[in-house]
Amino acid sequence: GKWEKDSIYQPWLLEHGSLYYNFYNAKEMPQWVEQIGLASSSNLKVWRRYDKNPVVSVKKTYECAKNDVSYDSQFASDAKVFWDPGENENDGHWVMFFFGISARAHWMAHIMIAFSKD
């Protein structure tokens, strides 16, 4: 898509069940916006992009309240994804650490975290 037309890099590959998942950075220039994409494969040769990519997108400045600063308005990238089984049988969830940068926050970098059951 347009959001990944200029560069795809920094893969994070994991296996879960019978599938492989690749979380990757994609860059759109000249704005230099980085977001996280996802593709899956059953054989590591043929890959299918997730239909709702980017799986983690930047938070646009206009989505923030007037005085709010989004810590990932320019970059949401470098995903590191792990399965946390939790303490009980149904507590398992995915944990993603990623890198966020905001132009409004003086280009400061932040380590971000996201959780998902799926």
Side-chain angles (χ1 to χ4, degrees), residues 16-60:
H16 183 71
S18 61
L19 289 176
Y20 297 93
Y21 296 91
N22 181 14
F23 293 86
Y24 60 88
N25 288 3
K27 183 179 356 182
E28 183 179 356
M29 297 298 278
Q31 311 90 312
W32 200 316
V33 172
E34 293 188 22
Q35 301 179 91
I36 300 169
L38 173 62
S40 61
S41 174
S42 61
N43 61 14
L44 295 174
K45 295 177 185 176
V46 178
W47 291 90
R48 183 177 160 275
R49 285 183 171 95
Y50 179 58
D51 291 337
K52 296 180 182 174
N53 269 338
V55 69
V56 177
S57 58
V58 295
K59 188 171 185 181
K60 302 293 184 191

Side-chain angles (χ1 to χ4, degrees), residues 86-98:
E87 300 208 12
N88 299 309
E89 185 177 335
N90 294 323
D91 288 347
H93 59 274
W94 292 101
V95 179
M96 175 191 284
F97 294 95
F98 65 99

